[in-house]
């Protein structure tokens, strides 16, 4: 389908979408999904994560279908959502405690040693995995789901069939324990 064909059928697709047509959503998905996955995958470096984000983008489109204007450019609309989701993904990964701890420890080591002894991120991840394995099983599960998978406390509670308060407690007790173990392991290296 050429861009001209897409531009010609876009008003009809938008109207059908506003009238709750799932087949219109399917057609829109078939037109744009592949390019959106490629666009998002450049930021995530993971096809699976990109596909999940694109799925969420189309859920957003479906949820906002009633407020779309007839002259909405679907391509621009979807790319703008994808752009924001790429930024959100990047922020989430950069704000993960494992990455934060890595940055702090890397800076600390850089002050104390020569640059040839810098801690590499992959080395830190090995250290992190070793440290997390020393935590109680429940703390391990909650921390990995929260900090590595980026799930909310409610999502973790639902997944593990525990209360949201238990998730919160596991994080507030487990994260300081994890940092302490990481620091101890760092001293041994």
């Amino acid at each position: 389908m050429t861009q001209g064909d897409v531009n010609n059928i876009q008003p009809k697709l938008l109207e059908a979408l506003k009238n709750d047509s799932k087949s219109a959503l399917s057609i829109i998905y078939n037109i744009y999904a592949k390019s959106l996955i490629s666009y998002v995958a450049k930021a995530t470096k993971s096809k699976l994560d990109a596909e999940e984000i694109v799925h969420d983008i189309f859920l957003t489109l479906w949820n906002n279908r009633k407020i779309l204007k007839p002259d909405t450019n679907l391509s621009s609309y979807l790319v703008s959502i994808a752009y924001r989701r790429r930024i959100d993904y990047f922020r989430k990964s950069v704000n993960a405690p494992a990455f934060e701890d890595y940055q702090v420890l890397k800076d600390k080591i850089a002050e104390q040693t020569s640059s040839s002894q810098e801690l590499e991120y992959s080395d830190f991840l090995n250290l992190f995995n070793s440290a997390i394995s020393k935590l109680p099983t429940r703390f391990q599960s909650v921390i990995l789901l929260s900090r590595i998978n980026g799930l909310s406390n409610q999502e973790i509670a639902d997944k593990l069939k525990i209360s949201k308060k238990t998730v919160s407690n596991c994080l507030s007790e487990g994260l300081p324990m994890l940092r302490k173990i990481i620091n101890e392991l760092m001293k041994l290296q």
Side-chain angles (χ1 to χ4, degrees), residues 115-141:
S115 61
S116 64
Q117 295 176 324
E118 259 186 40
L119 179 68
E120 294 296 324
Y121 186 57
S122 60
D123 295 334
F124 178 76
L125 285 180
N126 291 334
L127 187 71
F128 176 82
N129 290 331
S130 175
I132 202 144
S133 70
K134 296 180 186 309
L135 292 175
T137 307
R138 176 157 292 172
F139 287 3
Q140 289 178 28
S141 301

Short mmCIF file of all heavy atoms in Angstrom, two decimals, residues 115-141:
data_model
loop_
_atom_site.label_atom_id
_atom_site.label_comp_id
_atom_site.label_asym_id
_atom_site.label_seq_id
_atom_site.Cartn_x
_atom_site.Cartn_y
_atom_site.Cartn_z
N SER A 115 42.30 4.74 35.69
CA SER A 115 41.21 4.48 34.75
C SER A 115 41.27 3.06 34.19
O SER A 115 40.26 2.54 33.71
CB SER A 115 41.23 5.50 33.62
OG SER A 115 42.44 5.40 32.92
N SER A 116 42.42 2.42 34.22
CA SER A 116 42.52 1.06 33.68
C SER A 116 41.79 0.05 34.55
O SER A 116 41.54 -1.07 34.14
CB SER A 116 43.98 0.65 33.53
OG SER A 116 44.60 0.59 34.80
N GLN A 117 41.46 0.43 35.78
CA GLN A 117 40.77 -0.48 36.68
C GLN A 117 39.29 -0.13 36.83
O GLN A 117 38.66 -0.55 37.78
CB GLN A 117 41.44 -0.44 38.06
CG GLN A 117 42.85 -0.98 38.04
CD GLN A 117 43.52 -0.84 39.39
OE1 GLN A 117 43.30 0.13 40.10
NE2 GLN A 117 44.31 -1.83 39.74
N GLU A 118 38.76 0.63 35.89
CA GLU A 118 37.36 1.02 35.98
C GLU A 118 36.45 -0.20 35.96
O GLU A 118 36.72 -1.18 35.28
CB GLU A 118 36.99 1.93 34.80
CG GLU A 118 36.95 3.38 35.17
CD GLU A 118 36.44 4.22 34.02
OE1 GLU A 118 35.49 3.81 33.33
OE2 GLU A 118 37.00 5.30 33.83
N LEU A 119 35.39 -0.10 36.72
CA LEU A 119 34.40 -1.17 36.77
C LEU A 119 33.51 -1.06 35.53
O LEU A 119 32.91 -0.02 35.29
CB LEU A 119 33.55 -1.03 38.04
CG LEU A 119 32.44 -2.03 38.25
CD1 LEU A 119 33.06 -3.41 38.50
CD2 LEU A 119 31.59 -1.63 39.44
N GLU A 120 33.45 -2.10 34.76
CA GLU A 120 32.58 -2.12 33.59
C GLU A 120 31.17 -2.49 34.01
O GLU A 120 30.97 -3.20 35.00
CB GLU A 120 33.10 -3.13 32.56
CG GLU A 120 34.43 -2.75 31.97
CD GLU A 120 34.39 -1.46 31.16
OE1 GLU A 120 33.37 -1.19 30.49
OE2 GLU A 120 35.38 -0.72 31.21
N TYR A 121 30.21 -2.01 33.25
CA TYR A 121 28.81 -2.27 33.57
C TYR A 121 28.52 -3.77 33.59
O TYR A 121 27.82 -4.26 34.47
CB TYR A 121 27.89 -1.55 32.58
CG TYR A 121 26.43 -1.65 32.93
CD1 TYR A 121 25.95 -1.21 34.16
CD2 TYR A 121 25.51 -2.19 32.05
CE1 TYR A 121 24.61 -1.30 34.49
CE2 TYR A 121 24.18 -2.28 32.36
CZ TYR A 121 23.73 -1.83 33.59
OH TYR A 121 22.40 -1.93 33.91
N SER A 122 29.09 -4.51 32.66
CA SER A 122 28.84 -5.96 32.63
C SER A 122 29.40 -6.62 33.89
O SER A 122 28.79 -7.55 34.44
CB SER A 122 29.45 -6.59 31.38
OG SER A 122 30.84 -6.38 31.36
N ASP A 123 30.54 -6.12 34.36
CA ASP A 123 31.09 -6.65 35.62
C ASP A 123 30.17 -6.32 36.78
O ASP A 123 29.96 -7.15 37.68
CB ASP A 123 32.48 -6.06 35.90
CG ASP A 123 33.51 -6.49 34.87
OD1 ASP A 123 33.32 -7.56 34.27
OD2 ASP A 123 34.47 -5.73 34.68
N PHE A 124 29.64 -5.12 36.74
CA PHE A 124 28.72 -4.73 37.81
C PHE A 124 27.46 -5.60 37.78
O PHE A 124 26.95 -6.00 38.83
CB PHE A 124 28.33 -3.25 37.72
CG PHE A 124 27.35 -2.87 38.80
CD1 PHE A 124 27.77 -2.70 40.10
CD2 PHE A 124 26.00 -2.75 38.51
CE1 PHE A 124 26.87 -2.40 41.11
CE2 PHE A 124 25.09 -2.44 39.52
CZ PHE A 124 25.53 -2.27 40.82
N LEU A 125 26.96 -5.89 36.58
CA LEU A 125 25.76 -6.74 36.49
C LEU A 125 26.03 -8.11 37.09
O LEU A 125 25.17 -8.68 37.77
CB LEU A 125 25.28 -6.86 35.05
CG LEU A 125 24.56 -5.64 34.50
CD1 LEU A 125 24.13 -5.89 33.07
CD2 LEU A 125 23.37 -5.25 35.35
N ASN A 126 27.23 -8.65 36.86
CA ASN A 126 27.59 -9.93 37.48
C ASN A 126 27.60 -9.79 39.00
O ASN A 126 27.10 -10.67 39.72
CB ASN A 126 28.96 -10.40 36.98
CG ASN A 126 28.93 -10.82 35.54
OD1 ASN A 126 27.89 -11.21 35.02
ND2 ASN A 126 30.06 -10.73 34.88
N LEU A 127 28.15 -8.70 39.48
CA LEU A 127 28.18 -8.41 40.91
C LEU A 127 26.75 -8.27 41.45
O LEU A 127 26.41 -8.83 42.49
CB LEU A 127 28.98 -7.13 41.15
CG LEU A 127 29.26 -6.72 42.57
CD1 LEU A 127 30.28 -7.67 43.19
CD2 LEU A 127 29.81 -5.31 42.60
N PHE A 128 25.93 -7.56 40.69
CA PHE A 128 24.53 -7.35 41.07
C PHE A 128 23.79 -8.68 41.16
O PHE A 128 23.09 -8.95 42.14
CB PHE A 128 23.85 -6.43 40.04
CG PHE A 128 22.38 -6.23 40.28
CD1 PHE A 128 21.92 -5.31 41.20
CD2 PHE A 128 21.43 -6.96 39.56
CE1 PHE A 128 20.57 -5.12 41.42
CE2 PHE A 128 20.09 -6.78 39.77
CZ PHE A 128 19.65 -5.85 40.70
N ASN A 129 23.98 -9.52 40.15
CA ASN A 129 23.31 -10.83 40.15
C ASN A 129 23.78 -11.70 41.31
O ASN A 129 22.99 -12.41 41.93
CB ASN A 129 23.52 -11.55 38.82
CG ASN A 129 22.76 -10.88 37.70
OD1 ASN A 129 21.72 -10.28 37.92
ND2 ASN A 129 23.29 -10.96 36.49
N SER A 130 25.06 -11.62 41.61
CA SER A 130 25.60 -12.37 42.75
C SER A 130 24.99 -11.86 44.05
O SER A 130 24.60 -12.64 44.92
CB SER A 130 27.12 -12.23 42.77
OG SER A 130 27.65 -12.84 43.91
N ALA A 131 24.90 -10.53 44.16
CA ALA A 131 24.34 -9.92 45.38
C ALA A 131 22.87 -10.25 45.55
O ALA A 131 22.41 -10.59 46.64
CB ALA A 131 24.55 -8.41 45.36
N ILE A 132 22.12 -10.18 44.47
CA ILE A 132 20.67 -10.41 44.58
C ILE A 132 20.39 -11.87 44.94
O ILE A 132 19.42 -12.16 45.63
CB ILE A 132 19.92 -9.97 43.31
CG1 ILE A 132 18.46 -9.71 43.66
CG2 ILE A 132 20.02 -10.96 42.19
CD1 ILE A 132 17.82 -8.60 42.95
N SER A 133 21.28 -12.77 44.53
CA SER A 133 21.07 -14.19 44.87
C SER A 133 21.24 -14.45 46.37
O SER A 133 20.79 -15.47 46.87
CB SER A 133 22.02 -15.08 44.07
OG SER A 133 23.35 -14.89 44.52
N LYS A 134 21.84 -13.52 47.08
CA LYS A 134 22.05 -13.66 48.52
C LYS A 134 20.85 -13.16 49.33
O LYS A 134 20.80 -13.32 50.55
CB LYS A 134 23.31 -12.93 48.95
CG LYS A 134 24.57 -13.52 48.33
CD LYS A 134 25.81 -12.77 48.75
CE LYS A 134 27.06 -13.24 48.06
NZ LYS A 134 27.35 -14.64 48.07
N LEU A 135 19.89 -12.54 48.67
CA LEU A 135 18.69 -12.03 49.35
C LEU A 135 17.67 -13.15 49.53
O LEU A 135 17.67 -14.13 48.78
CB LEU A 135 18.06 -10.90 48.53
CG LEU A 135 18.82 -9.60 48.41
CD1 LEU A 135 18.09 -8.66 47.46
CD2 LEU A 135 18.99 -8.93 49.77
N PRO A 136 16.75 -12.97 50.49
CA PRO A 136 15.63 -13.91 50.59
C PRO A 136 14.85 -13.96 49.27
O PRO A 136 14.76 -12.95 48.56
CB PRO A 136 14.77 -13.33 51.71
CG PRO A 136 15.71 -12.50 52.52
CD PRO A 136 16.72 -11.96 51.55
N THR A 137 14.29 -15.10 48.97
CA THR A 137 13.61 -15.33 47.68
C THR A 137 12.55 -14.28 47.38
O THR A 137 12.47 -13.77 46.26
CB THR A 137 12.97 -16.74 47.66
OG1 THR A 137 13.97 -17.69 47.99
CG2 THR A 137 12.40 -17.05 46.30
N ARG A 138 11.72 -13.94 48.36
CA ARG A 138 10.66 -12.96 48.11
C ARG A 138 11.26 -11.61 47.74
O ARG A 138 10.78 -10.93 46.84
CB ARG A 138 9.74 -12.82 49.31
CG ARG A 138 8.69 -11.73 49.05
CD ARG A 138 7.46 -11.82 49.83
NE ARG A 138 6.68 -12.97 49.43
CZ ARG A 138 5.61 -13.38 50.06
NH1 ARG A 138 5.19 -12.74 51.12
NH2 ARG A 138 4.95 -14.42 49.67
N PHE A 139 12.32 -11.19 48.44
CA PHE A 139 12.97 -9.92 48.13
C PHE A 139 13.53 -9.95 46.71
O PHE A 139 13.40 -8.98 45.96
CB PHE A 139 14.09 -9.61 49.11
CG PHE A 139 13.63 -9.19 50.49
CD1 PHE A 139 12.30 -9.15 50.85
CD2 PHE A 139 14.56 -8.85 51.45
CE1 PHE A 139 11.89 -8.77 52.12
CE2 PHE A 139 14.17 -8.46 52.73
CZ PHE A 139 12.84 -8.42 53.06
N GLN A 140 14.14 -11.08 46.34
CA GLN A 140 14.69 -11.22 44.99
C GLN A 140 13.59 -11.00 43.95
O GLN A 140 13.76 -10.21 43.02
CB GLN A 140 15.26 -12.63 44.78
CG GLN A 140 16.52 -12.93 45.51
CD GLN A 140 16.97 -14.37 45.27
OE1 GLN A 140 16.67 -14.96 44.22
NE2 GLN A 140 17.67 -14.94 46.23
N SER A 141 12.48 -11.70 44.12
CA SER A 141 11.38 -11.62 43.14
C SER A 141 10.86 -10.20 43.03
O SER A 141 10.69 -9.68 41.92
CB SER A 141 10.24 -12.54 43.55
OG SER A 141 10.68 -13.86 43.64
#
